[in-house]
Amino acid sequence: MKKLAEFITKHKNIIILLAVILLIPSGIGYVSTRVNYDILSYLPDSLETVKGQDVMVDEFGMGAFSMIVVEDMSMKDAAALEKKIEAIDHVEDVLWYDDALDISVPTKMMPDKLRKAFFNGDATMMIALFDNTTSADDTMDAIANIRKTVGKSAFAAGMSGVVTDIKDLALKEMPVYVMIAAALVLVVLLITMESFVTPLIFLATIGMSIVYNLGSNFMLGEISYITQALAAVLQLAVTMDYSIFLLESYEANKERFPGDNKRAMKHAITNTFVSVSSSSLTTIAGFLALCSMTFRLGTNIGIVMSKGVIIGVIACVTVLPALILTFDKAIEKTSHKSLLPNLDGLSKIIVKYHWVALALFVVLIAPAAYGNANYKIYYNIDSSLPKTIPSAIANDKLSEEFDMSNMHIVLMKNGDLSAKDKKNMSNKIEKVDGVKWVIGLSSLIGPNMPESMIPDSLRDILQTKDYELMFICSDYKSATDEVNAQIADINKIVKSYQKGAMVIGEAPLMKDLQDVTDVDLKNVNTISIAAIFLIILITFKSISIPIILVSVIEFAIACNMSVPYYTNTSLAFVTSIVIGTIQLGATVDYAILMTSRYHKERINGATKAEAVGIAHRTSIKSILTSGFGFFAATFGVSLYSQIDMIKSIVTLLARGAVISMIVVICILPAMLWLFDGVIVRTSWDMRKAGIVQRDKAAKQEKLS
């Protein structure tokens, strides 16, 4: 590392030139990386609902559908509109009543099933079938073209419309996220730094590392819109500390080597790399724990953010030193007194009255744990979006005009069931609570009518050589207890007739989403805690220190996650999974910083009171700077975002940063004070230094 540090200080211009040149391929990689806007596509391939979607694409040439509600339109105009929609690229077909009967047949003469399905007063419904999956670019383009085609008199509902609206919102909002985060972080740095130029250099370095990270996502093939939205903000929040560490080390070494800034920077790079490498491991471990999820969104976020931290560390010890040395004179010219007041007095009060913090800890731990275990989670993706977007309006129209919220599909193999069995199965499904109607080949013909009389246009939609479809209308919304019970009942009926048959669609996928992520939540938290515990254990060679530090941050997480319970706020399912691991991995560094100094002072001969006091006094400013920086990077985004799935994540991250900061500053010193005896007996370096014997000797000397 010393040779690399020497190269960086000698060839700073080459480092800066390379950093700028790398922005070009990174920018190309960024714009070339596909963004996935469908959360449900990250469900495991082994699920029956996911396999069913693949069969739909392979066998029927369609993987998604949209219910189109048409108001105040004559039969002739509606038929013309149907043809226009069918002509749109990637619309495989449109299912409407004219696939079964001629439009000249009066609606009163139609079978009740058809009339219920396609007509209600002056409104009619069509089902547009797409030749690709819900989140495919082709499907989203088709939705956009359908909206242009149908105008204001028709509304395209369904998950494909929701995904398209998510894309439109995300594309509009994401550039603003970065600007808001950068602006607020700049304010924090201007207050806490002692030069007006230094914050700009910090942001330039972190900005470059963010571009490198986002550009390298091209190798992953695609990333989730949630990953893209959070990547820049989180990378800015968690890697800013590394820049502060380097600057502090550089300033300290300038005092050691006056007039020789290159030598000072060389030592600063070496020192920072050692400290930042170990510090970043906990953050990386927190993100990598997300990769253990069976719901692949966790892997997507985990890989991108872990990569971002590693790139941030590399940029901190290469690009940042080169920029600081280049602009050294400008930094000195714009130097000013710190705008932060001296915090030694506050530190002394907190340490002196540590028992107050312990009392608060005891009082708050039970309600925090209870709230953390009982907050509400929602899984309905369209609930995270504004009610004014086209898909929300269309879904409301669907519910208002046809009293339906969902469409399930039964996928059956041909040849196993007789027409009578299919008819009986259809009749049983119609009796399930919340089922409005069932449309299939068997349900459209009377008992005495042969299947050969079914129009070919309808048969082509509902049947292939190997498979047959049945559409089920439900008036229950996705991700509710009612629809989950309904799906279970339908599944039981379907399996009783054919074991290989599947119930698929938006609501079944969301039911699987709930089942999968409930398990993931427990596993991810356990793995992240275990990984970070192990890292701290190895770092401090202590059994007790990792228990104390992890417990302190887990208490902060419980306080953070209990707020939604006491404010009666529901959280998006993604939020509940990622917050615990990210808050633990990103903010346990605050506790490590203070404990490292306590550990060092204890080994060097300081008493318990001296070690805790020095550790607290020397780390409080860095913890405040880091905590408020994290808060600034996320809080502004939480105020701006209209996508609740992103808004809830950054809201809890912002609040979590502040809570972790307060808990570490106030409660950790009390814990170190209270458990000092346990720590020195269970930490290898402290036992080796003979602290127990030294404390006893000091105590006896004082008594004598």
Side-chain angles (χ1 to χ4, degrees), residues 245 275 278-283 532 535-537 539-540 545-546 549-550 553 584-585 587-599 615 619 623 664 668 672:
F245 292 162
S275 60
S278 58
S279 173
S280 63
L281 281 178
T282 55
T283 308
I532 291 172
I535 292 170
I536 299 173
L537 185 149
T539 301
F540 288 99
I545 288 178
L549 300 197
V550 170
I553 301 300
L584 175 60
T587 65
V588 74
D589 289 348
Y590 307 166
I592 291 173
L593 177 65
M594 185 182 295
T595 305
S596 296
R597 187 59 186 265
Y598 156 82
H599 184 265
S619 62
I623 293 170
V664 169
L668 180 58
L672 296 176

Short mmCIF file of all heavy atoms in Angstrom, two decimals, residues 245 275 278-283 532 535-537 539-540 545-546 549-550 553 584-585 587-599 615 619 623 664 668 672:
data_model
loop_
_atom_site.label_atom_id
_atom_site.label_comp_id
_atom_site.label_asym_id
_atom_site.label_seq_id
_atom_site.Cartn_x
_atom_site.Cartn_y
_atom_site.Cartn_z
N PHE A 245 -12.42 10.51 6.99
CA PHE A 245 -11.29 9.82 7.62
C PHE A 245 -9.98 10.23 6.96
O PHE A 245 -8.98 10.51 7.63
CB PHE A 245 -11.45 8.30 7.51
CG PHE A 245 -12.58 7.74 8.33
CD1 PHE A 245 -13.09 6.47 8.06
CD2 PHE A 245 -13.14 8.45 9.38
CE1 PHE A 245 -14.13 5.95 8.81
CE2 PHE A 245 -14.18 7.94 10.13
CZ PHE A 245 -14.68 6.69 9.84
N SER A 275 -7.85 1.62 8.04
CA SER A 275 -9.02 1.85 8.88
C SER A 275 -10.32 1.74 8.10
O SER A 275 -11.31 1.15 8.57
CB SER A 275 -8.94 3.23 9.55
OG SER A 275 -8.89 4.25 8.58
N SER A 278 -11.35 -2.00 7.09
CA SER A 278 -12.01 -2.76 8.16
C SER A 278 -13.39 -2.17 8.47
O SER A 278 -14.35 -2.90 8.72
CB SER A 278 -11.15 -2.76 9.42
OG SER A 278 -10.88 -1.43 9.84
N SER A 279 -13.48 -0.84 8.41
CA SER A 279 -14.76 -0.18 8.70
C SER A 279 -15.81 -0.52 7.63
O SER A 279 -16.98 -0.77 7.95
CB SER A 279 -14.57 1.34 8.76
OG SER A 279 -15.80 2.00 8.87
N SER A 280 -15.39 -0.54 6.37
CA SER A 280 -16.33 -0.80 5.28
C SER A 280 -16.83 -2.24 5.27
O SER A 280 -17.87 -2.53 4.67
CB SER A 280 -15.69 -0.47 3.94
OG SER A 280 -14.58 -1.30 3.69
N LEU A 281 -16.09 -3.15 5.90
CA LEU A 281 -16.50 -4.56 5.90
C LEU A 281 -17.87 -4.76 6.52
O LEU A 281 -18.66 -5.58 6.04
CB LEU A 281 -15.47 -5.41 6.66
CG LEU A 281 -14.19 -5.76 5.91
CD1 LEU A 281 -13.25 -6.56 6.80
CD2 LEU A 281 -14.52 -6.57 4.65
N THR A 282 -18.17 -4.01 7.58
CA THR A 282 -19.49 -4.17 8.21
C THR A 282 -20.60 -3.68 7.29
O THR A 282 -21.66 -4.29 7.21
CB THR A 282 -19.55 -3.39 9.54
OG1 THR A 282 -19.21 -2.01 9.30
CG2 THR A 282 -18.60 -3.97 10.56
N THR A 283 -20.33 -2.58 6.57
CA THR A 283 -21.33 -2.07 5.62
C THR A 283 -21.53 -3.05 4.47
O THR A 283 -22.66 -3.33 4.08
CB THR A 283 -20.87 -0.71 5.06
OG1 THR A 283 -20.55 0.17 6.15
CG2 THR A 283 -21.97 -0.07 4.23
N ILE A 532 -21.89 -9.42 10.84
CA ILE A 532 -21.31 -8.23 11.47
C ILE A 532 -20.76 -8.57 12.85
O ILE A 532 -19.70 -8.05 13.25
CB ILE A 532 -22.36 -7.10 11.51
CG1 ILE A 532 -22.63 -6.61 10.08
CG2 ILE A 532 -21.90 -5.95 12.40
CD1 ILE A 532 -23.77 -5.65 9.94
N ILE A 535 -17.36 -10.06 12.22
CA ILE A 535 -16.36 -9.06 11.83
C ILE A 535 -15.87 -8.28 13.05
O ILE A 535 -14.67 -8.05 13.22
CB ILE A 535 -16.95 -8.10 10.78
CG1 ILE A 535 -17.18 -8.86 9.45
CG2 ILE A 535 -16.04 -6.90 10.55
CD1 ILE A 535 -17.98 -8.08 8.43
N ILE A 536 -16.80 -7.85 13.90
CA ILE A 536 -16.42 -7.09 15.11
C ILE A 536 -15.63 -7.98 16.06
O ILE A 536 -14.65 -7.53 16.69
CB ILE A 536 -17.68 -6.52 15.80
CG1 ILE A 536 -18.42 -5.57 14.87
CG2 ILE A 536 -17.30 -5.79 17.09
CD1 ILE A 536 -19.76 -5.09 15.41
N LEU A 537 -16.01 -9.24 16.17
CA LEU A 537 -15.29 -10.18 17.04
C LEU A 537 -13.83 -10.31 16.60
O LEU A 537 -12.91 -10.27 17.43
CB LEU A 537 -15.99 -11.54 17.01
CG LEU A 537 -15.45 -12.64 17.94
CD1 LEU A 537 -16.58 -13.57 18.38
CD2 LEU A 537 -14.37 -13.49 17.24
N THR A 539 -12.18 -8.15 14.68
CA THR A 539 -11.52 -6.84 14.77
C THR A 539 -11.02 -6.56 16.18
O THR A 539 -9.87 -6.11 16.36
CB THR A 539 -12.50 -5.73 14.34
OG1 THR A 539 -12.93 -5.97 13.00
CG2 THR A 539 -11.83 -4.36 14.42
N PHE A 540 -11.87 -6.79 17.17
CA PHE A 540 -11.51 -6.46 18.55
C PHE A 540 -10.99 -7.66 19.35
O PHE A 540 -10.57 -7.50 20.50
CB PHE A 540 -12.74 -5.89 19.29
CG PHE A 540 -13.10 -4.50 18.85
CD1 PHE A 540 -14.13 -4.29 17.94
CD2 PHE A 540 -12.42 -3.39 19.34
CE1 PHE A 540 -14.48 -3.01 17.54
CE2 PHE A 540 -12.76 -2.11 18.94
CZ PHE A 540 -13.79 -1.91 18.03
N ILE A 545 -17.55 -7.31 23.21
CA ILE A 545 -17.71 -6.07 22.42
C ILE A 545 -18.70 -6.24 21.27
O ILE A 545 -19.59 -5.38 21.10
CB ILE A 545 -16.33 -5.56 21.92
CG1 ILE A 545 -15.53 -4.98 23.11
CG2 ILE A 545 -16.51 -4.48 20.84
CD1 ILE A 545 -14.15 -4.50 22.75
N PRO A 546 -18.62 -7.31 20.46
CA PRO A 546 -19.64 -7.44 19.39
C PRO A 546 -21.06 -7.58 19.93
O PRO A 546 -22.00 -7.08 19.32
CB PRO A 546 -19.20 -8.70 18.64
CG PRO A 546 -18.23 -9.39 19.50
CD PRO A 546 -17.59 -8.35 20.33
N LEU A 549 -22.06 -3.90 20.89
CA LEU A 549 -22.24 -3.01 19.74
C LEU A 549 -23.45 -3.41 18.90
O LEU A 549 -24.25 -2.54 18.49
CB LEU A 549 -20.98 -3.00 18.86
CG LEU A 549 -19.67 -2.53 19.51
CD1 LEU A 549 -18.64 -2.18 18.43
CD2 LEU A 549 -19.88 -1.33 20.41
N VAL A 550 -23.59 -4.68 18.62
CA VAL A 550 -24.74 -5.13 17.83
C VAL A 550 -26.04 -4.88 18.59
O VAL A 550 -27.05 -4.45 18.01
CB VAL A 550 -24.60 -6.63 17.45
CG1 VAL A 550 -25.90 -7.15 16.84
CG2 VAL A 550 -23.45 -6.83 16.47
N ILE A 553 -27.02 -1.13 18.30
CA ILE A 553 -27.58 -0.75 17.00
C ILE A 553 -28.92 -1.45 16.76
O ILE A 553 -29.84 -0.87 16.17
CB ILE A 553 -26.59 -1.07 15.85
CG1 ILE A 553 -25.28 -0.31 16.06
CG2 ILE A 553 -27.20 -0.69 14.51
CD1 ILE A 553 -25.43 1.21 16.11
N LEU A 584 -28.09 -1.47 10.20
CA LEU A 584 -27.07 -2.15 11.01
C LEU A 584 -25.70 -2.00 10.36
O LEU A 584 -24.73 -1.59 11.01
CB LEU A 584 -27.43 -3.63 11.17
CG LEU A 584 -26.40 -4.51 11.89
CD1 LEU A 584 -26.17 -4.02 13.31
CD2 LEU A 584 -26.87 -5.97 11.90
N GLY A 585 -25.61 -2.34 9.08
CA GLY A 585 -24.32 -2.30 8.40
C GLY A 585 -23.73 -0.91 8.27
O GLY A 585 -22.52 -0.73 8.38
N THR A 587 -24.56 1.97 10.14
CA THR A 587 -24.39 2.81 11.34
C THR A 587 -23.65 2.13 12.49
O THR A 587 -23.33 2.81 13.46
CB THR A 587 -25.76 3.31 11.85
OG1 THR A 587 -26.55 2.20 12.31
CG2 THR A 587 -26.53 4.04 10.77
N VAL A 588 -23.37 0.83 12.36
CA VAL A 588 -22.58 0.20 13.41
C VAL A 588 -21.16 0.78 13.42
O VAL A 588 -20.45 0.71 14.43
CB VAL A 588 -22.54 -1.35 13.22
CG1 VAL A 588 -21.64 -1.74 12.05
CG2 VAL A 588 -22.11 -2.05 14.50
N ASP A 589 -20.77 1.41 12.29
CA ASP A 589 -19.46 2.07 12.23
C ASP A 589 -19.35 3.18 13.27
O ASP A 589 -18.25 3.47 13.76
CB ASP A 589 -19.21 2.65 10.84
CG ASP A 589 -18.96 1.58 9.79
OD1 ASP A 589 -18.75 0.43 10.20
OD2 ASP A 589 -18.99 1.89 8.59
N TYR A 590 -20.47 3.85 13.58
CA TYR A 590 -20.43 4.90 14.61
C TYR A 590 -19.97 4.29 15.93
O TYR A 590 -19.14 4.86 16.65
CB TYR A 590 -21.81 5.53 14.82
CG TYR A 590 -22.51 6.05 13.60
CD1 TYR A 590 -23.86 6.38 13.64
CD2 TYR A 590 -21.84 6.22 12.38
CE1 TYR A 590 -24.53 6.87 12.52
CE2 TYR A 590 -22.50 6.70 11.26
CZ TYR A 590 -23.85 7.02 11.34
OH TYR A 590 -24.51 7.49 10.24
N ALA A 591 -20.55 3.12 16.24
CA ALA A 591 -20.21 2.44 17.50
C ALA A 591 -18.78 1.92 17.47
O ALA A 591 -18.07 1.97 18.49
CB ALA A 591 -21.20 1.30 17.74
N ILE A 592 -18.35 1.42 16.32
CA ILE A 592 -16.99 0.90 16.20
C ILE A 592 -15.97 2.02 16.39
O ILE A 592 -14.93 1.84 17.04
CB ILE A 592 -16.80 0.22 14.83
CG1 ILE A 592 -17.63 -1.07 14.76
CG2 ILE A 592 -15.32 -0.08 14.56
CD1 ILE A 592 -17.63 -1.73 13.39
N LEU A 593 -16.27 3.20 15.84
CA LEU A 593 -15.36 4.34 15.96
C LEU A 593 -15.12 4.69 17.43
O LEU A 593 -13.96 4.84 17.86
CB LEU A 593 -15.95 5.55 15.23
CG LEU A 593 -15.16 6.86 15.30
CD1 LEU A 593 -13.82 6.72 14.61
CD2 LEU A 593 -15.97 8.01 14.68
N MET A 594 -16.19 4.81 18.20
CA MET A 594 -16.05 5.17 19.61
C MET A 594 -15.39 4.04 20.40
O MET A 594 -14.50 4.28 21.24
CB MET A 594 -17.41 5.49 20.22
CG MET A 594 -17.34 6.00 21.66
SD MET A 594 -18.96 6.31 22.39
CE MET A 594 -19.56 7.65 21.37
N THR A 595 -15.78 2.81 20.12
CA THR A 595 -15.25 1.67 20.88
C THR A 595 -13.77 1.45 20.58
O THR A 595 -13.01 1.04 21.47
CB THR A 595 -16.06 0.40 20.55
OG1 THR A 595 -17.44 0.65 20.78
CG2 THR A 595 -15.62 -0.76 21.41
N SER A 596 -13.34 1.72 19.35
CA SER A 596 -11.93 1.57 18.99
C SER A 596 -11.05 2.47 19.85
O SER A 596 -9.98 2.05 20.34
CB SER A 596 -11.71 1.89 17.51
OG SER A 596 -12.40 0.98 16.70
N ARG A 597 -11.51 3.71 20.04
CA ARG A 597 -10.71 4.64 20.85
C ARG A 597 -10.72 4.22 22.32
O ARG A 597 -9.69 4.29 23.01
CB ARG A 597 -11.27 6.06 20.69
CG ARG A 597 -10.39 7.12 21.35
CD ARG A 597 -8.97 7.12 20.77
NE ARG A 597 -8.09 8.01 21.48
CZ ARG A 597 -7.83 9.26 21.08
NH1 ARG A 597 -8.42 9.74 19.98
NH2 ARG A 597 -7.00 10.02 21.76
N TYR A 598 -11.89 3.79 22.80
CA TYR A 598 -11.98 3.28 24.18
C TYR A 598 -11.04 2.10 24.37
O TYR A 598 -10.30 2.00 25.37
CB TYR A 598 -13.43 2.87 24.47
CG TYR A 598 -13.61 1.85 25.56
CD1 TYR A 598 -13.60 2.22 26.90
CD2 TYR A 598 -13.77 0.49 25.24
CE1 TYR A 598 -13.75 1.26 27.91
CE2 TYR A 598 -13.92 -0.46 26.23
CZ TYR A 598 -13.91 -0.08 27.56
OH TYR A 598 -14.05 -1.02 28.55
N HIS A 599 -11.05 1.19 23.41
CA HIS A 599 -10.21 -0.02 23.44
C HIS A 599 -8.74 0.37 23.50
O HIS A 599 -7.95 -0.17 24.30
CB HIS A 599 -10.53 -0.84 22.18
CG HIS A 599 -9.83 -2.15 22.11
ND1 HIS A 599 -8.64 -2.33 21.44
CD2 HIS A 599 -10.15 -3.37 22.62
CE1 HIS A 599 -8.26 -3.60 21.53
NE2 HIS A 599 -9.16 -4.25 22.24
N ALA A 615 -12.75 8.57 24.55
CA ALA A 615 -13.38 7.97 23.37
C ALA A 615 -14.59 8.78 22.93
O ALA A 615 -14.79 9.04 21.74
CB ALA A 615 -13.78 6.53 23.66
N SER A 619 -14.72 11.27 19.43
CA SER A 619 -15.51 10.69 18.33
C SER A 619 -16.85 11.38 18.10
O SER A 619 -17.47 11.18 17.06
CB SER A 619 -15.75 9.20 18.59
OG SER A 619 -16.49 9.01 19.77
N ILE A 623 -19.09 11.35 14.58
CA ILE A 623 -20.37 10.64 14.57
C ILE A 623 -21.49 11.57 14.15
O ILE A 623 -22.37 11.20 13.35
CB ILE A 623 -20.66 9.99 15.94
CG1 ILE A 623 -19.65 8.89 16.22
CG2 ILE A 623 -22.07 9.44 16.00
CD1 ILE A 623 -19.69 8.35 17.64
N VAL A 664 -25.82 5.80 19.86
CA VAL A 664 -24.37 5.58 20.03
C VAL A 664 -23.77 6.66 20.92
O VAL A 664 -22.96 6.37 21.81
CB VAL A 664 -23.67 5.55 18.65
CG1 VAL A 664 -22.15 5.60 18.83
CG2 VAL A 664 -24.08 4.29 17.89
N LEU A 668 -24.20 4.10 24.15
CA LEU A 668 -22.99 3.28 24.07
C LEU A 668 -21.98 3.59 25.18
O LEU A 668 -21.44 2.66 25.79
CB LEU A 668 -22.34 3.42 22.69
CG LEU A 668 -21.06 2.59 22.50
CD1 LEU A 668 -21.32 1.11 22.73
CD2 LEU A 668 -20.46 2.83 21.11
N LEU A 672 -20.40 0.86 27.73
CA LEU A 672 -18.97 0.62 27.94
C LEU A 672 -18.60 0.80 29.40
O LEU A 672 -17.78 0.05 29.96
CB LEU A 672 -18.16 1.58 27.05
CG LEU A 672 -18.31 1.40 25.54
CD1 LEU A 672 -17.53 2.48 24.79
CD2 LEU A 672 -17.87 0.01 25.10
#
